[in-house]
Amino acid sequence: MEDFFPDALLADLKNLVNKKSGILIKGLKLECLRGRAIDRCMQLSATPEEFISRLSGNQHELGNLVSGLVNQETYFFRDRAQLAAFSSLLKEVAARKGGAGDRYLKVLSAGCAAGEEPYSLNILITESGLFAGWNVNVVGVDISRFSIARAREAVYRENSVRLAQSEAPLKEKYFNRMEGGRLALKPQWKNNVSFRTGNLMDEGTFDGLANLDFIFCRNIFIYMQPQAVKTITAHFRRCISPKGCLFAGCSDLMDEVLTGFRPVRTRGGLYYRMG
Ligand SMILES: C[S@@+](CC[C@H](N)C(=O)[O-])C[C@H]1O[C@@H](n2cnc3c(N)ncnc32)[C@H](O)[C@@H]1O
């Protein structure tokens, strides 16, 4: 296999993926990259050089490759401590903005995988009862168009909905059970949520997003080099509101590169505030 995709070309491919998506590929992951690239070359009947050239101008090809290198595993209501902090902040935002007659709530879920995170946030917003009659907008972005297609479909395996035993009735409240045991999110919980395919490294991905109250970007920076995190957080700074909050994953902590964001510690969690 090394003969078909030699080390020198693998290094070119790694550098291209890194430059374009921010994802750092090293160690054993390099062999995964080679394996996925070989599979794709076979499907396309392309040489490695042709595949690399195709990748540099085709975001969907890049998204497809990246999604196989990053753990896609996620689930509804992931990291309860952070979500508890989010729910407290919702009260603050409702009072502040509602008092000023600004009834827009805008949330970005960056790297939203198959939609578990943006839908969870929308459920919490709706269940808070604080935003009835508001214009609520939750946007999910991911580089993988397969993930975005799954997010729009909103049908999940049981493992994506890990609720405590005491919360079991919520499963019936939020989902319709389908044949084969899969869970389809009920339409009312999809209201307010929209999706787009996009690379967080590209400024254009953020077109039309402004004054965001919350940005969630969890469990992605861990795969990236600091320079990529800097690029992405610069994009975030341009579209977040001056009082907005950024939630990164617990393994993503990168205080030193999150310029312009101030860490706020909560019980069992952490988020960043602008300013
Ligand atoms: C581990 S999942 C995180 C899902 C969710 N945010 C969570 O915390 O559970 C990482 C997601 O980031 C996406 N991703 C990786 N690099 C990206 C990039 N440069 N732009 C947009 N999405 C990216 C992957 O496709 C994947 O769906």
Side-chain angles (χ1 to χ4, degrees):
M1 286 295 142
E2 269 180 48
D3 293 346
F4 180 74
F5 214 118
D7 286 349
L9 285 176
L10 185 64
D12 290 348
L13 179 63
K14 177 193 87 163
N15 292 338
L16 183 66
V17 171
N18 180 224
K19 185 169 147 231
K20 292 226 158 234
S21 71
I23 302 292
L24 196 59
I25 303 159
K26 55 184 179 181
L28 295 175
K29 274 257 169 90
L30 267 173
E31 283 314 318
C32 296
L33 176 66
R34 194 192 320 255
R36 288 191 66 90
I38 290 171
D39 283 351
R40 193 64 183 134
C41 285
M42 298 296 162
Q43 283 168 4
L44 295 167
S45 299
T47 63
E49 288 88 345
E50 286 164 350
F51 175 62
I52 291 172
S53 150
R54 178 184 165 94
L55 197 69
S56 58
N58 185 327
Q59 185 187 284
H60 294 318
E61 198 65 62
L62 180 72
N64 189 16
L65 191 62
V66 164
S67 62
L69 299 166
V70 170
N71 185 0
Q72 297 280 314
E73 166 79 4
T74 184
Y75 48 92
F76 276 76
F77 307 110
R78 183 177 193 176
D79 197 337
R80 297 294 184 124
Q82 276 195 329
L83 296 182
F86 172 66
S87 291
S88 301
L89 286 165
L90 284 177
K91 292 184 195 131
E92 183 192 311
V93 172
R96 175 169 45 82
K97 294 185 87 170
D102 173 0
R103 293 161 75 84
Y104 284 83
L105 181 71
K106 299 182 189 176
V107 181
L108 172 66
S109 168
C112 66
E116 296 87 341
E117 181 178 86
Y119 287 134
S120 300
L121 300 175
N122 188 44
I123 289 172
L124 292 173
I125 292 166
T126 309
E127 294 277 47
S128 76
L130 295 166
F131 300 94
W134 284 52
N135 201 325
V136 175
N137 216 330
V138 180
V139 179
V141 175
D142 201 281
I143 196 168
S144 160
R145 70 172 158 173
F146 298 110
S147 296
I148 292 298
R150 286 189 52 216
R152 291 193 174 118
E153 192 189 17
V155 175
Y156 298 94
R157 284 174 292 118
E158 189 81 37
N159 193 36
S160 302
V161 188
R162 303 177 196 170
L163 298 176
Q165 201 131 50
S166 60
E167 297 172 316
L170 293 180
K171 212 177 260 184
E172 313 311 321
K173 183 175 180 189
Y174 300 147
F175 298 91
N176 289 318
R177 201 168 283 277
M178 298 171 72
E179 246 175 69
R182 299 217 302 154
L183 298 162
L185 190 66
K186 291 186 178 174
Q188 75 251 40
W189 306 108
K190 291 163 126 182
N191 289 342
N192 314 323
V193 184
S194 62
F195 294 97
R196 57 173 80 170
T197 307
N199 183 350
L200 298 175
M201 293 288 282
D202 297 342
E203 198 169 358
T205 295
F206 300 87
D207 282 354
L209 298 175
N211 275 320
L212 295 169
D213 298 293
F214 296 97
I215 297 179
F216 278 72
C217 186
R218 301 189 297 171
N219 303 301
I220 299 170
F221 290 161
I222 187 175
Y223 299 103
M224 294 185 166
Q225 57 162 1
Q227 189 51 46
V229 178
K230 271 190 183 163
T231 302
I232 293 172
T233 48
H235 297 325
F236 287 169
R237 276 198 302 279
R238 277 191 287 276
C239 60
I240 198 167
S241 117
K243 291 193 187 292
C245 297
L246 166 67
F247 284 80
C250 289
S251 340
D252 295 326
L253 303 177
M254 284 208 178
D255 287 6
E256 66 281 7
V257 292
L258 291 174
T259 325
F261 290 95
R262 178 169 50 85
V264 179
R265 274 157 243 287
T266 65
R267 269 181 84 86
L270 176 80
Y271 65 91
Y272 297 84
R273 258 186 196 278
M274 278 296 279

